[in-house]
Structures are given as C-alpha cells and as structure tokens.
C-alpha cells in the first residue's frame, strides 16, 4: 500500500521532551518505520518549522518524512497552528494529484482537518487517530485549555466523516461515542513500545547515584497535567525514598522552565527538596538504564489519553504505580503489573508505594508480569498488525465521506 501519514506538529524527527514533542512523535515514527519494513510505501507529512530543513528526509526502514510549507518556517506552538491548516491541506491536494496514496492516516485533530482537505478532491479514504481529544482536555483543564475554540466541533466532524477512527484505548471509545462517532467506525489499536530497547539490564549512561534506600522515577514531558506535583506530595509520606523526575529542557535550563520552578518550590515547601532530583532531558538511549535503576515508576497525571511511560517501565520489568485514568486502565493490570490509584490523591500514591517498597518479591513478580504483558500486546509489531488490518479494511469498503467544514 501507499500510505500517507499526516502529523502536522509532531514530526518523527523532533527531539523529545519539549512541550509539543512526546508520545505522538514516537508513535508516528515507529509505526511508519514498521509499516515501511513490511514493504509499504510510507510518507510522513509534517509542517516545516525551520528554513534549514531538507524537503525530504529518510527514516530507518524506508519511510520518508516530507516537510510541508504551511505558516512561517519556525517553531510555532501547536495550539496556534490552525490558521495554517488550509495551506497544509492545499499542499497535500497538489502532491496527491501527482501521486495518489491508497490511504491517508492522520494524527491529531488539525492533521485530520488538513488530511480531509487534501484527500477529498481525490476520493482518498482517511483514517484518523486523535491521540488526545478536546472534550477531555477541556473537562480537565478548564480555563487553562489553550486549544482553539473550534477544536471540539472540528474533531466531531472529523470523527463522524473519517473512514475509520483508531482509538488507542477503551476510554477513548466511550468519549468518541459521546461525540456521536458511530461504533462501527471505531477500532481500538493501542500505542506500543520498543521492547528491544526498553528491556531489563539495558545499557546506557550510568544513572545518578542513589541518595536514599528506594528510588521512584517519574518521567515524560514536563507539563502540569502530568501530575509530578502529586508524586512530590506523596514523597512526604514515604520514608527512605528519593524521587527522580526526568524530562523537560536540558538540565542547565531547568531554572528557566516554569513547571520545573513550580515543582522545586513545592518540594521546598513540603520539606522533601533533598530527596527530589530533576535531571532535565535524558538521552533516549539512556532511558532504559534510568528506568531500570528505579524500584517503581510513578505515572500520576490528572488525565492521560494513552501514556507511553507505563509501557516503557513494564518493558524494563519495573512495576508501575499509575493513576486510574485514560489509557492506564488498559495498559496497567492492577494487582498484576502494578497498582492503579485515584487521580489527584497523593495519599493513595504513598500507600501503594509503601506497600510495594517493602515487598521486593512482589515487585519482582509485578515486573516480570509487566514484561510479559508488553511482549504479548504492546510491541510495535503488534501495533502495526492492527493498523495494517484497519488500512486494508478501509480500502476494501471505502466510501467517500460527507464534507468536513
């Protein structure tokens, strides 16, 4: 198949850890690479955000990234990109007039808008993965939600008129149903993890030396909704334990990062600053070793559309304490690979950590079960199996959807 991936802000070439660079970038990169290795012709279309970028860049496995001129060739926050999606879609329509893909797979709602604009003139089916839904973001962030006001309405139209919507977890299926997306248009295919890279005993730079008997690790993008403050508050009730927070800008720039400053201030006020260590950005090659140095990985967001970090921890055979939200409900098997706790409840986090910290055999059993669960359900090969199957189904039964405004 000729597969066009549209990922307007999340380039597979981007350095991870920034405000707008995280799990979606990894998903697009690894899925594209895996599909290309199977012999499909895969092109990823992403917005040109620098004048120095080449027009086309090859990815491992044979996929290609194409930079689309849409808006200024500079970094722009993703919530400010909507005005440029018409130009993005027009560019796709011109490119696909010359070489029509068999299927278009859009990632994120603005990519879906551009993909429909580009695909409609040529009758190309569009498969949509939202990665995050505006209804959920608005519910949890309220006035802090910086998404364009048109987002929820556009998402609803895209969901209802795409040939298929790929949900990454069962929680998203319920949200899509509330948006009026018919059940027959939704398939569930989770995100994945590189179980060869994230594995027990993986090499990498030596993790920082311990300051306490037990180590907790929280990692990912350094943004408020990830709930690192819940982990800091929980630490006040967990003795002999340190918390390592990995992510965000380089360590030398943490003092200029608003969320880093907030967390440091909180740790000082809570009296645990000597047990909280912020590493800043960590080289992806070193993440498995850092994860492996922890007794437990904490994933405490207020909400989480899917959540890659629990998979990375389980692949490294490290148990997870995660909030009972979003994709965590599918990936973390409570009482088998870790524990699920209520969101915004640092006491519950602390109780789960204290129990597991004192039971090394139970931690070992959870870790082994987590690794087995990843290998059975969450490798990129399994993800590509599901996506490939949906692409083929769409090609077999495709009808042109109604117009998306």
């Amino acid at each position: 198949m000729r597969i066009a991936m549209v990922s307007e802000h999340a380039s597979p070439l981007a350095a991870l850890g920034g405000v707008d660079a995280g799990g979606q970038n990894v998903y697009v990169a690894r899925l594209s690479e895996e599909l290309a290795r199977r012999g499909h012709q895969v092109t990823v279309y992403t917005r040109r955000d620098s004048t120095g970028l080449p027009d086309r860049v090859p990815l491992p496995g044979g996929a290609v990234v194409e930079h689309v001129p849409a808006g200024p060739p500079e970094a722009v926050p993703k919530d400010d990109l909507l005005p440029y999606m018409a130009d993005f879609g027009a560019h796709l329509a011109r490119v696909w007039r010359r070489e029509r893909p068999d299927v278009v797979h859009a990632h994120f709602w603005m990519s879906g808008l551009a993909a429909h604009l580009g695909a409609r003139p040529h009758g190309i089916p569009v498969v949509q993965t939202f990665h995050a839904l505006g209804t959920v973001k608005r519910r949890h962030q309220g006035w802090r939600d910086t998404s364009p006001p048109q987002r929820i309405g556009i998402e609803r139209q895209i969901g209802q008129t795409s040939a298929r919507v790929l949900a990454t977890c069962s929680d998203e299926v319920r949200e899509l149903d509330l948006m009026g997306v018919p059940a027959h248009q939704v398939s569930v295919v989770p995100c994945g993890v590189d179980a060869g890279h994230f594995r027990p005993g993986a090499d990498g730079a030596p993790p920082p030396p311990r300051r306490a008997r037990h180590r907790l690790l929280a990692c990912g993008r350094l943004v408020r909704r990830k709930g690192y403050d819940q982990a800091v508050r929980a630490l006040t009730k967990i003795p002999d334990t340190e918390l390592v927070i990995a992510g965000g800008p380089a360590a030398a720039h943490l003092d200029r990062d608003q969320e880093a400053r907030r967390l440091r201030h909180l740790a000082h006020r809570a009296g645990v600053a000597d047990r909280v260590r912020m590493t800043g950005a960590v080289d992806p090659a070193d993440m498995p070793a850092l994860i492996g140095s922890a007794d437990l990985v904490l994933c405490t967001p207020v909400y989480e559309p899917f959540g890659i970090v629990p998979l990375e921890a389980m692949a490294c055979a490290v148990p997870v304490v995660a909030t009972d939200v979003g994709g965590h409900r599918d990936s973390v098997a409570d009482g088998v690979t870790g524990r699920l706790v209520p969101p915004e409840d640092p006491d519950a986090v602390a109780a789960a950590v204290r129990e597991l910290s004192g039971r090394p055999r139970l931690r070992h059993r959870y870790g082994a079960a987590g690794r087995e669960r990843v290998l059975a359900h969450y490798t990129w090969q399994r993800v590509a199996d599901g996506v490939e199957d949906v692409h083929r189904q769409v090609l077999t039964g495709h009808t042109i959807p109604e117009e998306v405004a």
Side-chain angles (χ1 to χ4, degrees), residues 36 48 72 75 97 117 126-127 132 149 177 182 190 208 224 260 290-291 304 327-328 350 361 381:
R48 178 183 292 279
R97 184 181 302 117
L117 292 172
V126 176
V127 173
D177 179 66
R224 193 183 188 100
L290 180 59
I291 291 172
E304 186 61 82
H328 292 174
R361 290 184 180 179
Q381 291 76 21

Side-chain angles (χ1 to χ4, degrees), residues 68-69 86-100 117-119 121-122:
V68 175
D87 288 344
F88 200 121
H91 177 89
L92 295 177
R94 290 191 296 271
V95 170
W96 294 341
R97 184 181 302 117
R98 298 192 300 270
E99 187 173 6
R100 181 188 187 278
L117 292 172
H122 313 297

Side-chain angles (χ1 to χ4, degrees), residues 268-315:
H268 278 287
R269 282 192 307 159
V272 295
D274 61 325
R275 294 192 286 133
V276 175
R277 185 181 332 198
M278 303 186 71
T279 68
V282 175
D283 189 316
D286 299 330
M287 277 305 304
L290 180 59
I291 291 172
S293 76
D295 299 295
L296 297 166
V297 169
L298 302 187
C299 303
T300 54
V302 177
Y303 72 97
E304 186 61 82
F306 183 80
I308 294 290
V309 173
L311 297 186
E312 294 174 345
M314 291 191 298

Side-chain angles (χ1 to χ4, degrees), residues 54-73:
D55 292 339
R56 293 170 64 86
V57 180
L59 289 175
V64 174
V65 174
E66 183 167 311
H67 291 112
V68 175

Side-chain angles (χ1 to χ4, degrees), residues 19-224:
V19 173
D20 291 334
Q24 183 179 328
N25 304 68
V26 175
Y27 182 98
V28 173
R30 295 310 309 273
L31 176 60
S32 298
E33 291 168 11
E34 182 61 32
L35 291 173
R37 288 190 181 101
R38 299 179 180 206
H40 300 295
Q41 182 180 321
V42 182
T43 304
V44 182
Y45 297 90
T46 193
R47 197 184 74 86
R48 178 183 292 279
D49 60 5
S50 171
T51 56
L53 292 172
D55 292 339
R56 293 170 64 86
V57 180
L59 289 175
V64 174
V65 174
E66 183 167 311
H67 291 112
V68 175
E74 60 190 36
V76 175
K78 68 181 180 183
D79 288 333
D80 296 336
L81 290 174
L82 181 58
Y84 310 123
M85 290 304 102
D87 288 344
F88 200 121
H91 177 89
L92 295 177
R94 290 191 296 271
V95 170
W96 294 341
R97 184 181 302 117
R98 298 192 300 270
E99 187 173 6
R100 181 188 187 278
D102 297 308
V103 63
V104 175
H105 191 159
H107 301 270
F108 200 60
W109 69 279
M110 279 186 282
S111 295
L113 178 58
H116 275 273
L117 292 172
R120 179 166 308 282
H122 313 297
I124 309 167
V126 176
V127 173
Q128 176 71 37
T129 300
F130 284 109
H131 294 279
L133 289 170
T135 53
V136 178
K137 186 177 182 183
R138 182 72 52 82
R139 183 184 312 140
H140 288 283
Q141 293 193 3
W143 62 270
R144 292 192 182 94
D145 181 10
T146 57
S147 300
Q150 306 97 313
R151 174 175 180 173
I152 293 176
I154 293 174
E155 280 184 337
R156 183 177 291 111
Q157 290 178 304
I158 292 170
Q160 293 173 354
T161 58
S162 293
R164 190 74 58 87
V165 176
L166 284 186
T168 57
C169 65
S170 55
D171 197 63
E172 186 179 352
V173 175
R174 290 187 287 271
E175 292 290 341
L176 289 166
D177 179 66
L178 293 173
M179 292 167 56
V181 180
H184 69 270
Q185 285 182 220
V186 181
S187 299
V188 179
V189 180
C191 298
V193 65
D194 183 347
H197 178 59
F198 289 94
R199 69 185 192 281
D203 297 328
R210 289 199 179 203
R211 295 175 178 171
R213 180 182 176 190
H214 298 293
R215 169 174 289 176
L216 308 176
L217 174 67
C219 51
R221 289 188 295 142
L222 202 60
V223 292
R224 193 183 188 100

